[in-house]
Coordinates of all heavy atoms in Angstrom, one line a residue:
T1 N 113.3 11.8 55.7 CA 113.9 13.2 55.6 C 114.0 13.6 54.1 O 114.3 12.8 53.3 CB 115.4 13.2 56.2 OG1 115.3 12.7 57.5 CG2 116.0 14.6 56.1
Y2 N 113.7 14.9 53.9 CA 113.8 15.5 52.6 C 114.5 16.8 52.7 O 114.2 17.6 53.5 CB 112.4 15.7 52.0 CG 112.4 16.4 50.6 CD1 112.5 15.6 49.5 CD2 112.3 17.7 50.5 CE1 112.6 16.2 48.3 CE2 112.3 18.3 49.3 CZ 112.4 17.6 48.1 OH 112.5 18.1 46.9
V3 N 115.5 17.0 51.9 CA 116.3 18.2 51.9 C 115.8 19.0 50.6 O 116.0 18.5 49.5 CB 117.8 18.0 51.8 CG1 118.6 19.3 51.7 CG2 118.2 17.2 53.0
D4 N 115.2 20.2 50.8 CA 114.8 21.0 49.8 C 115.9 22.0 49.4 O 116.0 23.0 50.0 CB 113.5 21.7 50.2 CG 112.8 22.4 49.0 OD1 113.3 22.3 47.9 OD2 111.7 23.0 49.3
S5 N 116.6 21.6 48.4 CA 117.8 22.5 48.0 C 117.4 23.5 46.9 O 118.3 24.3 46.5 CB 118.9 21.6 47.5 OG 118.5 20.8 46.4
N6 N 116.2 23.5 46.4 CA 115.7 24.4 45.4 C 115.0 25.6 46.0 O 113.9 25.9 45.5 CB 114.9 23.7 44.4 CG 114.6 24.4 43.1 OD1 115.4 25.3 42.8 ND2 113.5 24.2 42.4
V7 N 115.6 26.2 47.0 CA 115.0 27.4 47.6 C 116.0 28.5 47.9 O 117.2 28.2 47.9 CB 114.3 27.0 49.0 CG1 113.1 26.1 48.7 CG2 115.2 26.4 49.9
R8 N 115.5 29.7 48.2 CA 116.4 30.8 48.7 C 115.9 31.1 50.1 O 115.3 32.1 50.3 CB 116.3 31.9 47.8 CG 116.7 31.6 46.3 CD 116.6 32.8 45.4 NE 115.3 33.5 45.7 CZ 114.6 34.2 44.8 NH1 115.1 34.4 43.6 NH2 113.5 34.8 45.0
A9 N 116.2 30.2 51.0 CA 115.7 30.3 52.4 C 116.2 31.5 53.1 O 115.5 31.9 54.1 CB 116.1 29.0 53.2
N10 N 117.2 32.1 52.7 CA 117.7 33.4 53.4 C 117.0 34.6 52.9 O 117.2 35.7 53.4 CB 119.2 33.5 53.4 CG 119.7 33.6 51.9 OD1 119.0 33.1 51.0 ND2 120.9 34.1 51.7
E11 N 116.2 34.5 51.8 CA 115.5 35.6 51.2 C 114.0 35.5 51.2 O 113.3 36.6 51.3 CB 115.9 35.7 49.7 CG 117.4 35.9 49.5 CD 117.8 35.9 48.0 OE1 116.9 36.1 47.2 OE2 118.9 35.6 47.7
L12 N 113.4 34.3 51.2 CA 112.0 34.1 51.1 C 111.5 33.2 52.1 O 112.2 32.3 52.6 CB 111.6 33.6 49.7 CG 112.0 34.4 48.5 CD1 111.9 33.6 47.2 CD2 111.2 35.7 48.4
V13 N 110.2 33.4 52.5 CA 109.5 32.5 53.4 C 108.9 31.4 52.6 O 108.1 31.6 51.7 CB 108.5 33.2 54.3 CG1 107.7 32.2 55.2 CG2 109.2 34.3 55.2
Y14 N 109.1 30.1 53.0 CA 108.5 28.9 52.4 C 107.7 28.2 53.5 O 108.1 28.1 54.6 CB 109.6 28.0 51.9 CG 110.4 28.6 50.8 CD1 111.6 29.3 51.0 CD2 110.0 28.5 49.5 CE1 112.3 29.8 50.0 CE2 110.7 29.0 48.4 CZ 111.9 29.7 48.7 OH 112.6 30.3 47.7
T15 N 106.5 27.8 53.2 CA 105.6 27.1 54.1 C 105.4 25.7 53.5 O 105.2 25.5 52.3 CB 104.3 27.8 54.2 OG1 104.6 29.1 54.7 CG2 103.4 27.1 55.2
Y16 N 105.5 24.7 54.4 CA 105.4 23.3 54.0 C 104.3 22.5 54.8 O 104.0 22.9 55.9 CB 106.7 22.5 54.2 CG 107.9 23.1 53.5 CD1 108.7 24.1 54.0 CD2 108.3 22.5 52.3 CE1 109.8 24.6 53.3 CE2 109.4 23.0 51.6 CZ 110.2 24.0 52.1 OH 111.2 24.5 51.5
F17 N 103.8 21.4 54.2 CA 103.1 20.5 54.9 C 103.1 19.1 54.2 O 103.4 19.1 53.0 CB 101.6 20.9 55.1 CG 100.7 20.8 53.9 CD1 100.0 19.6 53.7 CD2 100.6 21.9 53.1 CE1 99.1 19.5 52.6 CE2 99.7 21.8 52.0 CZ 99.0 20.6 51.7
W18 N 102.9 18.0 54.9 CA 102.9 16.7 54.4 C 101.5 16.2 54.3 O 100.7 16.5 55.2 CB 103.7 15.7 55.3 CG 105.1 15.9 55.4 CD1 105.8 16.7 56.4 CD2 106.2 15.4 54.6 NE1 107.1 16.6 56.2 CE2 107.4 15.8 55.1 CE3 106.1 14.5 53.5 CZ2 108.6 15.4 54.5 CZ3 107.3 14.2 52.9 CH2 108.6 14.6 53.5
T19 N 101.2 15.3 53.4 CA 100.0 14.6 53.3 C 100.3 13.1 53.3 O 101.2 12.7 52.5 CB 99.2 14.9 52.0 OG1 98.8 16.3 52.1 CG2 98.0 14.0 51.8
A20 N 99.7 12.3 54.1 CA 99.9 10.8 54.2 C 98.8 10.2 53.4 O 97.6 10.5 53.5 CB 99.9 10.3 55.6
I21 N 99.2 9.2 52.5 CA 98.3 8.5 51.7 C 98.4 7.0 51.9 O 99.6 6.4 51.9 CB 98.5 8.8 50.2 CG1 98.4 10.3 50.0 CG2 97.6 8.1 49.3 CD1 98.9 10.8 48.7
D22 N 97.3 6.3 52.1 CA 97.4 4.8 52.4 C 97.6 4.1 51.1 O 97.6 4.6 50.0 CB 96.2 4.3 53.2 CG 94.9 4.3 52.4 OD1 94.9 4.5 51.1 OD2 93.8 4.2 53.0
G23 N 97.8 2.8 51.2 CA 98.0 1.9 50.1 C 96.9 1.8 49.0 O 97.2 1.4 47.9
C24 N 95.7 2.3 49.4 CA 94.6 2.3 48.4 C 94.5 3.7 47.8 O 93.5 3.9 47.0 CB 93.3 2.0 49.2 SG 93.3 0.3 49.8
G25 N 95.4 4.6 48.1 CA 95.3 5.9 47.5 C 94.4 6.9 48.2 O 94.2 8.0 47.7

């Protein structure tokens, strides 16, 4: 879990995605 507290979620639209990286990079 990650809490993104550096946003103005009631004013702006934010879009997110995750990238998974293996142990070899």
Side-chain angles (χ1 to χ4, degrees):
T1 303
Y2 178 85
V3 176
D4 193 0
S5 58
N6 191 23
V7 295
R8 299 180 314 208
N10 59 339
E11 299 173 23
L12 300 170
V13 174
Y14 296 92
T15 304
Y16 298 86
F17 75 91
W18 292 95
T19 294
I21 301 167
D22 69 15
C24 295

